[in-house]
Amino acid sequence: MSQNFRIENVGLINKDKKLCFKFNGKKYFGYEGDTLASALLANGVHLVGRSFKYHRPRGFFGAGVDEPYAIVQLYRNNETEPNIKATEQELFEGLEAKSVNCWPSVNFDIGAINNFLKIFLPAGFYYKTFMWPKSFWYRIYEPFIRKAAGLGVASIKHDKERYEHKYEHCDLLIAGSGPSGLSSAYAAAKNGAKVILAEDKPRFGGSLLTSDVNIGNQSGKEWAEGIIAELKTMPNVVVKNRSQIFGYYDHNMLVMSEKVSDHLPATKKYHPNKRLWYIRAKEVLISSGSIERPIVFGNNDTPGVMLSSAAKEYLKVYGVLVGRNPLIFTNNDSGYETAIEFKKHGVDPIVLDSRKNPESEIINEAKNIGINIKNSYVVVAAQGYKKVKSADIASISDDKKQLGKIENIQCDCICVSGFWTPTIHLASQSGNKTKFKEEIDAFIPGQSKQNERTLGAANGVFSLEETLKTSFAAGSELSKKITENDNEVLIPNVVEKKSSKHDKFWCVPLPEGKNYKRFLDFQNDVSVSDVEIALKEGYRSIEHVKRYTTLGMATDQGKTSNLNGLQLVSEIENKVVPAVGHTTFRPPYTPVSIGAIVGREIGKHSKPTRKSPMHAWHEKNNAVFVDAGVWLRPRYYKRGNENLFEGSKREAKNVRTNVGVCDVTTLGKIDIKGPDAAELLNRVYTNAWLKLPVGKARYGVMLREDGIVMDDGTTTRISENHYHMTTTTAQAANVLSHLEYYLQLVWPELNANVVSTTEQWAGAAIAGPKSRDLLQKLFPNSNVSNEGLPFMGYMEDDLYGVKARIFRISFSGELAYEINVESDNGNFMWEKIMEVGEEFKIQPYGTEALSTLRIEMGHVAGSELDGRTIPYDNALESLVSKKKDFIGKRSLQRTAFIADDRQRIVGVVPLDKKTSIPEGSHLVKDANAPLPNPKLGHISASCWSVEYDNPFSLAILKDGKNMIGEKLFVMSPLKNKVIPVEIVSSHYVDPKGERVRS
Amino acid sequence: MLYIKCPHCGMRPQIEFSYGGDASVKRPELNKDVSDQDWDDFVYNRKSLRGKHLELWQHISGCRQWIKVERDTSTHEISRTFKADEEVA
Ligand SMILES: [Zn+2]
């Protein structure tokens, strides 16, 4: 296809490098430096999509970040990404894009029927349409809407791209590289400040790339190039293009998304796709410029209607004519600048100016080169369906209420300028209370909240001279404060054309008998009549009007629609705009890829993986691992074709009959030292600790202040003032913080110190009737008899030359010991235990068998200590001291905690002794009771008892104390199960606890 | 993200800290009778202040010290920070 609308020798693109791309399956050509939008316009393609609600044809409205229409689905390197603005996407060889919001195709769209339906999807259609009959919603409306609506399709494939996060500090962060950003960056850099200058576009310079001005006897563009080139050589300056600062957060933290690879056909090896910068800046200068606002008229969404500044940018930057027969509709001088550019390139525009007798340098220039200008004239409506073919125009009365006779004139595009709206999003995000500036009919930043300052057009300053002056001054002043350097920078002289005042006119009245749609929000299809309906229905607050009509709620955040929406509300409500107020701007300023937000923290990198020193051995011996917090623990050691159930049963049985060994390295360990260590334990645990002798361990339960069990574990007195505490794997970090809290803040007078030693020790539990024989062989020089090392005893010995700590404690309920050695010797210890244990038929066992063993014994763990239970609920009340005070004790007197029918742990056995009981099931009295069936309790943990060879569960049951022997039902609607059960004691095996003491 | 001055380590980002609630809450003394109301106030009842709020933070990924932070709940401005044992004037 020929480049119909490209002009020779104009623009900043590289005409030597031709690029081939596809849009909706059709092949086109563009050049290096094009955006997808400019390349399509060069090929005469104006129809790029369908609108969100009415599926009206959509073209290009802007040339950058403000674009509300031209959103495409991009295909790049076998990946696809939705919600891409064609005006921002740079062209690369082989680019493929498709329209969104259209089905089956952009030229013939079924959804466009919405446009002709009598019920025209008015304001609030999300709330009031399609609500009845209900069954229609699921079968007809929703599938239809889903197919027809949406702004593209998210890929469901794993994203192969890489995204990085970067943390930076700087003195000055400058958002925007237009005249203001360049000036302040340059002044600050000269003072030696650490500067980051961010530009969202590929090219630096902002408005200087398209405006007809002179700075320091150079064109604006040349001056910008010179400044950037110099900044790039300075070591204290970081200059970033394709980088959008999208969020301004607390304490001068800003986040910037750098597009590293989006302009390339594929991401280079070892490069990220995007890089998210978290920047903590001492000072922030917001030089984000302004966005032209539209004037509202009939059918103003027709492809070919666009901002006049966009038409100028397509011409000057890309050498593309958006039309050969342009109509320019303006209320200020900016439209003339665009008209002059057209005229310079041999195209004759017509200018309609809503003002009566405007006079200025620019207007004179336009007149002098023979541009056709009609004053007090407006566009009433655009005509043409998929593209502007003509325009209905009319003169307008001075009060802007009466239209003259309507004429129809031929044109192929309508370039609109309704004056300029400062881009105040970042300032507003920082907490700045913005204020309305009458002279420009727009909001500008008010009092700074954080260390931010807004300059240039973003601050409502539209004179270049004034912008340079204030920006150089701000850059100098702020950097001087930080670096204490005061290097003078000369402000260059500026030549610019003075402009005349704009017209406070923003919406063309409807001619009599016509009912044209006049759009305010182009992305969400919100028209003037929608806002009128919302107000008629009683919505007053601008925040409510916004949500009811969805005005400004699309992905463009109303960049082109907000102010006109406010003007309309203020007009109908007869209020001034500042009294209506504007809605709050929130980050992100532009859509940010989820991948960029997530960064490298995906898959294995989402959290650290902790492995015990014996991990390699487990791997070699067919362990199947399970996540236990951040740890990987063996769940069972697979033999042959065993499944989890078979394997864990075998392992548990072997513990009950011979001896097993379990890796317990993951248990939290805290070293406690100091003369008041015992007193600390005595206050933290519910039971008494002051009389624990050296060389003895004790089981303890700790509560939160609200009486709920926080954690349990054993603590051993290693020497006079030295204790070794163990916690559950999951609560290790919380318990440490808890102890530090009380030592540092509540009882600083206690002389004790705590430190985590979880990683310093490797632990192995050996359990089973033959564990003592094994221990004796491992430590032949020690007396490990029941008298030598009694239950809850502790000793130190030497394991083949390695220092070892031996605790006689048991979680499995069997005769058991725990051996700790320094982590580096963990694997040595494990291999020795396996080697020496062979004659006792030792087998390693995983967490599944460990669970089985503890459940059978009625020992509580995380599933019972679930943040909702007190000691009584877990049958631990014998550990609650009546004599001394401790953390949470007072809460145990709460009425609910001492109620007669208080919940309590019980055992549950199915009557058929066969059916496994799903964890989380509810216990009910009557399986056939009407819903909601009163719940008496829940199943906290289930196992297959290896002792009795039938299923066994633990449950927390209301009035559990008096329920032993009762018959209830277990119900699991999720698994569709109803199981008749009997309630038994939670101590299912060895209820007197004789084995651990044997 | 807040930028918090740890009195022991200096300016550090919020991600290094964990929040610990109202710093003005005093735990009733051990082994003393406490009324239901006083205990309730200690365990559960907190003011939801708008404005300056003295709160506890722990520098969990740093020096592990609990510190007191004076923060405005409506603006997030941090005016002062204190060590655990420092008196707040
Ligand atoms: Zn610190």
Side-chain angles (χ1 to χ4, degrees):
Chain A
M1 213 179 197
S2 60
Q3 304 267 314
N4 273 340
F5 293 85
R6 192 84 72 170
I7 349 170
E8 289 304 312
N9 305 322
V10 180
L12 310 176
I13 52 171
N14 178 11
K15 289 251 174 90
D16 294 334
K17 191 148 182 214
K18 220 170 171 185
L19 300 173
C20 177
F21 70 101
K22 268 188 188 170
F23 182 65
N24 286 335
K26 215 166 157 185
K27 223 171 176 183
Y28 299 96
F29 289 101
Y31 295 105
E32 188 179 75
D34 259 327
T35 60
L36 175 58
S38 68
L40 283 171
L41 284 167
N43 284 285
V45 178
H46 280 260
L47 180 62
V48 280
R50 291 279 172 165
S51 73
F52 187 62
K53 206 158 79 183
Y54 303 125
H55 289 235
R56 286 162 70 107
R58 287 294 195 237
F60 299 96
F61 194 71
V65 66
D66 50 321
E67 176 61 38
Y69 297 155
I71 286 166
V72 297
Q73 182 87 22
L74 187 77
Y75 299 83
R76 173 180 173 271
N77 195 26
N78 299 319
E79 298 274 347
T80 181
E81 207 180 331
N83 201 13
I84 300 292
K85 290 189 181 87
T87 53
E88 289 193 299
Q89 177 59 50
E90 290 171 69
L91 205 62
F92 54 76
E93 179 60 36
L95 180 149
E96 273 193 74
K98 280 185 186 157
S99 299
V100 296
N101 266 342
C102 52
W103 172 64
S105 83
V106 68
N107 270 300
F108 174 74
D109 183 299
I110 286 180
I113 291 166
N114 292 351
N115 192 14
F116 301 109
L117 280 178
K118 255 279 184 248
I119 335 153
F120 210 49
L121 304 186
F125 90 108
Y126 293 106
Y127 307 105
K128 54 194 182 196
T129 321
F130 304 139
M131 292 310 283
W132 187 91
K134 205 175 165 192
S135 61
F136 265 53
W137 174 258
Y138 302 105
R139 288 191 287 119
I140 294 165
Y141 299 144
E142 197 191 346
F144 175 78
I145 292 174
R146 277 199 187 283
K147 189 128 204 182
L151 294 171
V153 187
S155 170
I156 54 167
K157 285 196 299 181
H158 170 72
D159 189 349
K160 286 179 300 195
E161 297 282 347
R162 203 165 117 154
Y163 304 89
E164 281 180 357
H165 286 183
K166 184 177 166 74
Y167 294 82
E168 245 332 329
H169 294 258
C170 68
D171 296 330
L172 270 80
L173 174 63
I174 297 165
S177 75
S180 161
L182 289 176
S183 307
S184 45
Y186 189 73
K190 283 284 179 190
N191 270 343
K194 196 175 171 209
V195 173
I196 299 177
L197 176 66
E199 169 60 47
D200 65 316
K201 293 203 165 190
R203 296 175 186 83
F204 295 100
S207 64
L208 294 174
L209 297 178
T210 54
S211 57
D212 192 11
V213 294
N214 264 277
I215 305 176
N217 301 324
Q218 294 170 292
S219 75
K221 181 180 150 276
E222 285 162 352
W223 180 79
E225 283 165 358
I227 296 277
I228 282 291
E230 191 174 341
L231 287 174
K232 280 183 175 168
T233 64
M234 299 171 84
N236 53 325
V237 181
V238 174
V239 174
K240 281 282 160 194
N241 58 341
R242 302 188 176 101
S243 297
Q244 177 80 61
I245 298 174
F246 64 80
Y248 197 137
Y249 300 91
D250 286 315
H251 299 178
N252 264 31
M253 155 76 89
L254 291 94
V255 186
M256 171 170 97
S257 173
E258 180 189 1
K259 292 178 182 169
V260 182
S261 309
D262 280 352
H263 61 294
L264 303 170
T267 306
K268 285 187 214 151
K269 210 175 174 189
Y270 306 124
H271 281 226
N273 177 284
K274 291 189 183 67
R275 187 180 286 126
L276 217 60
W277 294 56
Y278 292 85
I279 305 169
R280 188 81 67 175
K282 289 197 181 116
E283 300 284 344
V284 176
L285 293 180
I286 301 167
S287 297
S288 45
S290 56
I291 292 173
E292 202 165 22
R293 357 182 228 276
I295 302 177
V296 179
F297 55 86
N299 302 331
N300 56 338
D301 62 330
T302 312
V305 177
M306 67 166 66
L307 293 173
S308 98
S309 56
K312 189 171 77 170
E313 188 168 335
Y314 286 120
L315 213 171
K316 291 200 80 168
V317 175
Y318 305 101
V320 172
L321 287 173
V322 298
R324 296 202 182 278
N325 198 5
L327 180 65
I328 288 159
F329 179 23
T330 188
N331 70 0
N332 70 96
D333 286 4
S334 296
Y336 291 86
E337 291 176 23
T338 305
I340 291 166
E341 290 301 328
F342 272 120
K343 185 78 182 175
K344 274 193 203 161
H345 295 97
V347 173
D348 272 319
I350 300 174
V351 176
L352 305 188
D353 193 327
S354 67
R355 296 174 294 182
K356 199 173 180 186
N357 278 315
E359 267 180 52
S360 74
E361 237 178 296
I362 300 168
I363 296 172
N364 282 338
E365 187 185 335
K367 280 180 186 158
N368 289 342
I369 56 173
I371 291 175
N372 184 356
I373 301 167
K374 285 170 174 286
N375 286 329
S376 291
Y377 248 85
V378 297
V379 175
V380 176
Q383 300 296 352
Y385 182 56
K386 287 179 194 164
K387 176 74 196 294
V388 171
K389 290 197 174 111
S390 66
D392 288 346
I393 64 169
S395 62
I396 192 159
S397 60
D398 292 353
D399 66 357
K400 311 289 190 218
K401 298 228 162 91
Q402 303 300 319
L403 293 173
K405 192 171 161 290
I406 291 174
E407 313 150 43
N408 183 271
I409 60 167
Q410 298 296 304
C411 61
D412 61 356
C413 68
I414 303 174
C415 307
V416 193
S417 178
F419 207 51
W420 297 86
T421 306
T423 304
I424 57 170
H425 296 63
L426 284 179
S428 175
Q429 286 176 20
S430 93
N432 188 307
K433 289 272 171 267
T434 55
K435 60 185 182 198
F436 193 71
K437 191 173 175 185
E438 226 29 88
E439 303 95 282
I440 61 166
D441 290 325
F443 288 91
I444 59 166
Q447 184 67 41
S448 299
K449 197 195 128 193
Q450 304 196 38
N451 291 348
E452 104 269 342
R453 204 180 284 193
T454 308
L455 296 162
N459 196 29
V461 175
F462 297 123
S463 133
L464 181 62
E465 194 172 1
E466 179 71 13
T467 293
L468 289 199
K469 215 172 80 191
T470 49
S471 303
F472 268 105
S476 292
E477 179 200 322
L478 294 172
S479 55
K480 188 179 148 192
K481 223 170 57 185
I482 297 164
T483 65
E484 290 172 6
N485 292 331
D486 195 4
N487 298 322
E488 205 194 339
V489 184
L490 283 179
I491 302 176
N493 65 309
V494 170
V495 182
E496 64 179 322
K497 289 171 199 136
K498 299 273 172 294
S499 52
S500 59
K501 209 177 148 11
H502 80 286
D503 192 2
K504 289 174 184 291
F505 171 71
W506 64 277
C507 183
V508 180
L510 279 179
E512 218 156 294
K514 293 288 185 189
N515 200 19
Y516 297 124
K517 277 267 159 194
R518 293 173 297 167
F519 284 94
L520 290 167
D521 183 320
F522 304 104
Q523 203 178 13
N524 261 356
D525 270 8
V526 181
S527 67
V528 171
S529 58
D530 290 323
V531 174
E532 286 169 351
I533 288 172
L535 292 165
K536 224 180 272 172
E537 290 183 2
Y539 291 89
R540 286 295 172 271
S541 154
I542 189 67
E543 295 281 0
H544 291 160
V545 172
K546 164 182 160 180
R547 279 157 185 81
Y548 194 58
T549 61
T550 72
L551 175 75
M553 282 175 70
T555 62
D556 70 344
Q557 282 203 358
K559 290 183 177 68
T560 50
S561 63
N562 271 332
L563 266 166
N564 285 340
L566 291 178
Q567 291 280 13
L568 178 62
V569 174
S570 76
E571 213 168 278
I572 300 172
E573 291 283 287
N574 212 357
K575 279 186 197 161
V576 288
V577 172
V580 176
H582 68 77
T583 54
T584 316
F585 295 107
R586 296 182 203 286
Y589 172 65
T590 51
V592 183
S593 295
I594 299 287
I597 293 168
V598 175
R600 300 294 309 275
E601 290 164 20
I602 52 163
K604 282 249 166 263
H605 297 288
S606 61
K607 58 181 192 327
T609 303
R610 298 172 84 179
K611 297 173 182 171
S612 93
M614 290 83 98
H615 189 83
W617 189 96
H618 303 322
E619 271 180 332
K620 248 184 283 165
N621 289 274
N622 298 324
V624 176
F625 291 94
V626 63
D627 287 322
V630 290
W631 292 90
L632 275 181
R633 294 189 73 177
R635 196 166 184 194
Y636 75 112
Y637 300 80
K638 195 182 176 86
R639 286 192 180 175
N641 290 324
E642 266 178 355
N643 61 22
L644 172 67
F645 179 70
E646 294 156 351
S648 62
K649 219 162 102 174
R650 167 184 51 76
E651 290 171 5
K653 216 170 203 159
N654 190 58
V655 172
R656 293 271 186 249
T657 46
N658 297 305
V659 59
V661 58
C662 181
D663 185 347
V664 291
T665 304
T666 62
L667 281 187
K669 304 172 201 79
I670 297 170
D671 213 50
I672 306 174
K673 277 184 179 166
D676 293 326
E679 179 60 29
L680 173 69
L681 294 172
N682 208 43
R683 295 178 185 188
V684 165
Y685 282 128
T686 59
N687 48 348
W689 283 81
L690 297 179
K691 288 180 185 147
L692 181 72
V694 172
K696 281 282 186 185
R698 184 165 284 174
Y699 175 72
V701 173
M702 57 178 81
L703 309 185
R704 313 190 305 215
E705 292 284 18
D706 63 1
I708 300 291
V709 178
M710 180 178 182
D711 198 41
D712 69 342
T714 54
T715 292
T716 307
R717 191 168 190 181
I718 304 286
S719 66
E720 181 66 22
N721 293 329
H722 183 191
Y723 291 79
H724 173 81
M725 175 187 271
T726 65
T727 72
T728 58
T729 303
Q731 290 293 327
N734 288 345
V735 171
L736 183 66
S737 259
H738 181 73
L739 298 178
E740 286 166 336
Y741 175 89
Y742 284 94
L743 280 175
Q744 293 172 26
L745 291 163
V746 185
W747 304 310
E749 68 278 8
L750 289 185
N751 188 355
N753 281 295
V754 293
V755 68
S756 165
T757 53
T758 301
E759 274 137 82
Q760 276 63 36
W761 298 100
I766 53 171
K770 293 181 185 160
S771 59
R772 181 177 291 129
D773 299 341
L774 169 58
L775 194 75
Q776 188 65 72
K777 277 222 154 178
L778 287 167
F779 301 99
N781 302 324
S782 287
N783 174 9
V784 300
S785 67
N786 205 16
E787 293 72 39
L789 182 60
F791 181 54
M792 288 299 191
Y794 166 76
M795 62 178 230
E796 290 166 14
D797 200 352
D798 178 294
L799 179 75
Y800 301 92
V802 164
K803 203 176 83 185
R805 289 174 165 185
I806 304 134
F807 307 83
R808 185 170 166 193
I809 52 178
S810 175
F811 188 53
S812 56
E814 288 297 327
L815 171 65
Y817 304 87
E818 228 179 272
I819 308 173
N820 279 7
V821 295
E822 285 166 5
S823 286
D824 288 352
N825 300 322
N827 201 53
F828 171 80
M829 162 182 71
W830 188 270
E831 283 179 346
K832 275 290 168 208
I833 291 171
M834 288 305 297
E835 183 189 316
V836 176
E838 209 182 328
E839 65 172 287
F840 306 107
K841 298 200 173 102
I842 195 167
Q843 286 182 22
Y845 64 102
T847 55
E848 199 69 17
L850 185 68
S851 274
T852 297
L853 297 166
R854 74 97 185 165
I855 292 169
E856 279 191 315
M857 288 285 172
H859 288 178
V860 293
S863 47
E864 289 77 36
L865 310 181
D866 63 353
R868 297 180 291 183
T869 54
I870 58 171
Y872 174 86
D873 305 348
N874 295 294
L876 295 170
E877 68 278 8
S878 63
L879 288 170
V880 177
S881 166
K882 295 214 163 54
K883 291 182 199 133
K884 58 136 197 175
D885 201 359
F886 53 85
I887 292 169
K889 184 178 192 183
R890 178 67 177 81
S891 289
L892 295 179
Q893 295 169 26
R894 287 177 60 189
T895 321
F897 290 175
I898 53 175
D900 271 347
D901 60 352
R902 177 71 198 172
Q903 63 179 9
R904 189 172 170 84
I905 189 167
V906 294
V908 179
V909 179
L911 294 185
D912 67 1
K913 303 267 177 113
K914 272 195 274 223
T915 313
S916 286
I917 301 173
E919 290 175 349
S921 305
H922 285 189
L923 284 154
V924 299
K925 181 103 196 150
D926 176 2
N928 298 312
L931 296 173
N933 196 341
K935 169 197 165 191
L936 301 177
H938 72 275
I939 302 292
S940 60
S942 289
C943 71
W944 189 276
S945 164
V946 288
E947 187 88 8
Y948 297 108
D949 202 24
N950 58 250
F952 176 74
S953 297
L954 293 175
I956 305 288
L957 180 63
K958 189 171 182 178
D959 198 19
K961 180 180 61 177
N962 296 314
M963 297 294 274
I964 309 298
E966 292 283 322
K967 306 264 195 314
L968 298 175
F969 293 92
V970 155
M971 297 194 71
S972 174
L974 275 178
K975 307 232 158 140
N976 204 16
K977 273 191 174 178
V978 179
I979 308 162
V981 296
E982 184 180 354
I983 305 303
V984 299
S985 160
S986 58
H987 299 292
Y988 197 44
V989 173
D990 188 26
K992 287 187 184 145
E994 285 161 349
R995 295 184 191 176
V996 294
R997 292 182 174 81
S998 62
Chain B
M1 191 179 2
L2 304 183
Y3 205 28
I4 301 170
K5 185 179 177 185
C6 171
H8 308 279
C9 310
M11 299 300 296
R12 296 301 169 100
Q14 185 185 339
I15 45 169
E16 293 186 10
F17 295 83
S18 84
Y19 182 69
D22 187 343
S24 67
V25 175
K26 277 257 173 299
R27 191 192 191 281
E29 271 180 59
L30 288 167
N31 302 307
K32 289 258 166 69
D33 281 340
V34 186
S35 71
D36 283 353
Q37 184 60 53
D38 287 351
W39 188 256
D40 254 15
D41 285 344
F42 160 62
V43 178
Y44 298 106
N45 300 331
R46 296 289 180 272
K47 288 182 196 118
S48 184
L49 288 177
R50 183 189 168 88
K52 275 190 182 173
H53 185 232
L54 193 68
E55 51 202 27
L56 295 170
W57 290 77
Q58 189 183 14
H59 195 186
I60 203 139
S61 305
C63 62
R64 291 206 65 90
Q65 294 302 300
W66 283 90
I67 61 169
K68 294 178 212 165
V69 174
E70 188 180 65
R71 184 179 69 100
D72 190 306
T73 55
S74 65
T75 64
H76 295 183
E77 195 186 326
I78 292 174
S79 30
R80 298 179 295 172
T81 57
F82 306 88
K83 293 178 185 170
D85 57 359
E86 247 179 292
E87 275 307 308
V88 179

